[in-house]
């Protein structure tokens, strides 16, 4: 009998399969980005997204499930070029959950919403019996307006385009995992959870709209899975250079110790953008002025040397194929 | 140490307290209706709502969690006078959940969306380890457009207004409870889960917009809790007549057997409307033409004989005060 596996929630290959085989034929999911962009005929375009958060533990270095839930949904909207405006919050709470933890989480959500400039306008609370949940799960859904003239998507990608990353890889995943397993690293690794809408606004202010082809936030499944999604959706080959991938020494150390690959570790405060080669310079300059973009780097480019493939040029001069996360590396990371 | 109780998810007094004390001061929840209505300055008004579904068992007479999740969110949008347009679906699935059940649920959601004329445009899937969830929880969020000229709310309520119910009370709660406890009633009780947007459209077509003051769907906490919310929010007294409350003989029998009050049982396919006395006749006529409104009835009226109170005139000639559900009557009913 076919059953749901932890890997179906990984963001990787199993999840893509579940979505493609079961959700897509039944629902109206057009492009498989996290936000739907809806044309309100005559009005502006609306972006609409949803995400449930089940991160364990609920509190980790740099944040908690509430902060993550607000920033994550703000980011999903930002990735389609929308200006995030309104959020809803749905809580599934396990009976016996401490009210003091509830308060901390709510207050983090309020702070995160304020920082991102969005408003939480509707909510829902359900309680399940003890042993039928895990403390608290939070769904945030969000809407935003896509400004006229902004239209992102894999169809705009061309050979020669550059691939940008806005910050260090792997911090969120390693921070959650270290908290979960009682590990500590030196220097300590702190989740990068942050709202990217400010950085995105600066990017659009600094370059013509059409220079930015597509943006994605590499959460579950990490940078590798996100790049592979972009390669699949556009049909192009993406070649990245291992030596250019920004990773902190803390994350490198943790990954070496634990046998993990930073390319597959979840991030919650960085974005990947494919941009036109003419705009690369100005974009880098603009992004680096923003606190969340100070480690921005060009990590690779789009080519047509293979179809729907991601290639990694390693530091020692080799080339390897980068695939989606298969199965589950770190469950319940967001 | 203060903890979350099952009653915090009841829809009743404890939940209202949680929302008022913890959510309202931190978030931007203006009126405590289920949908936020957002004025997009120059564009139409957008309604935006969210609901998580944790019903147990997942399958029950008349529906399942998927059908419920679509209809429930369509109804929340309909209750603010919006035309429901787009939904998102967020799944939290327990490891080991049967794929065949997943398929049945997804297919019910697709059918329900089709019937209601809405589209599911974005989704999210998370998987939690076995023992940390309960099969599947579903969040649906929804957006809709509020047509120009429609503006519902407790501030429009006046003394002399009539209170309408669109159908039989208590079917959903009793259906779920009978499935949960392996009971069966004769005649059997089937959940009333249904999308109310068609009925609401007919109501607006049949009466001037301003004739409908407010609408609510009496889900968790039942008709009593919903009426008490309306009384609180408007400051008026609502007087209802026990003899006019439409209840099926199956629900009456089940409630007598189990010591439950149909006024507090959850419904998923009926609405309560406060309407102007001039429009009462035409509205009744229009509503009764619709399959979901054929048992519509005037159950009471708005008076100023007391502040923020609901009074029930009993069949034997007495009067009793109707309060919100206190604690939890039937947990996890939606």
């Amino acid at each position: 009998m076919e059953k749901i596996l932890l890997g179906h929630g990984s963001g990787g290959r199993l999840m893509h399969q579940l979505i493609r085989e079961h959700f897509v034929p039944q629902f109206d999911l057009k492009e498989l980005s996290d936000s739907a962009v809806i044309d309100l005929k005559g009005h502006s375009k609306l972006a609409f997204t949803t995400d449930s958060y089940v991160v364990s533990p609920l509190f980790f270095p740099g944040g908690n499930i509430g902060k993550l839930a607000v920033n994550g949904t703000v980011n999903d909207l930002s990735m389609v070029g929308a200006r995030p405006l309104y959020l809803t919050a749905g809580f599934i709470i396990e009976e016996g959950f401490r009210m003091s933890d509830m308060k901390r989480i709510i207050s983090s959500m309020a702070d995160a919403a304020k920082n991102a400039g969005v408003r939480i306008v509707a909510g829902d609370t359900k309680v399940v019996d003890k042993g039928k949940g895990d403390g608290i799960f939070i769904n945030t859904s969000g809407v935003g307006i896509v400004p006229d003239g902004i239209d992102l998507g894999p169809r705009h990608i061309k050979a020669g385009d550059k691939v940008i990353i806005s910050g260090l890889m792997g911090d969120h995943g390693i921070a959650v995992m270290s908290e979960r397993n009682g590990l500590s690293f030196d220097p300590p690794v702190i989740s990068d959870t942050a709202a990217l809408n400010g950085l995105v606004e600066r990017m659009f202010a600094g370059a013509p709209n059409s220079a930015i082809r597509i943006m994605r936030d590499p959460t579950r499944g990490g940078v590798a899975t996100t790049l592979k999604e972009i390669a699949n959706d556009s049909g192009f080959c993406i070649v990245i250079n291992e030596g250019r991938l920004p990773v902190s020494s803390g994350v490198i150390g943790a990954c070496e110790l634990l046998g993990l690959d930073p390319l597959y570790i979840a991030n919650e405060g960085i974005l990947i953008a494919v941009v036109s080669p003419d705009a690369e310079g100005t974009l880098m300059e603009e992004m680096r002025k923003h606190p969340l973009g100070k480690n921005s780097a060009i990590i690779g480019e789009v080519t047509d040397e293979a179809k729907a493939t991601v290639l990694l040029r390693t530091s020692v001069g080799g080339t390897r194929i980068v695939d989606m996360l298969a199965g589950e590396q770190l469950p319940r990371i967001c």
Side-chain angles (χ1 to χ4, degrees), chain A residues 109 159 219 265 313 322:
Chain A
M109 293 180 77
T219 57
I265 310 275
R313 306 265 190 246
V322 176

Side-chain angles (χ1 to χ4, degrees), chain A residues 6-77:
Chain A
L6 270 179
H8 281 115
S10 67
R13 207 187 300 166
L14 269 173
M15 197 177 84
H16 279 80
Q17 196 180 327
L18 175 72
I19 294 173
R20 224 177 23 245
E21 289 178 12
H22 299 293
F23 295 144
V24 171
Q26 299 269 17
F27 300 158
D28 288 282
L29 314 166
K30 255 188 260 161
E31 285 184 8
L32 282 183
S33 79
D34 285 321
S35 293
V37 175
I38 299 161
D39 198 336
L40 290 177
K41 286 157 200 153
H43 306 289
S44 298
K45 277 188 293 181
L46 189 77
F48 186 21
T49 190
T50 195
D51 243 331
S52 296
Y53 296 83
V54 300
V55 64
S56 169
L58 300 173
F59 298 89
F60 48 81
N64 62 51
I65 189 172
K67 184 176 179 185
L68 199 64
V70 169
N71 288 338
T73 291
V74 164
N75 292 348
D76 282 347
L77 293 170

Side-chain angles (χ1 to χ4, degrees), chain A residues 233-300:
Chain A
D233 294 351
S234 66
F236 281 103
C237 179
I238 294 176
V239 184
I240 53 170
N241 286 284
E242 193 176 26
R244 295 208 195 150
L245 294 168
V247 200
S248 74
S249 58
V251 168
I252 292 178
C255 283
E256 277 174 2
L257 187 74
L258 300 159
L260 297 171
D261 184 341
L263 269 175
Y264 290 93
I265 310 275
N267 310 279
E268 291 289 342
I270 62 170
L271 63 84
I272 285 177
V274 178
V275 307
S276 81
D278 339 329
E280 148 196 19
T282 24
L283 273 169
M284 273 295 97
E285 210 172 292
E286 284 302 318
M287 289 173 75
R288 285 180 179 148
K289 284 183 202 157
H290 192 280
L292 294 176
K294 62 178 191 290
N295 294 307
S296 295
I298 313 270
I299 58 169

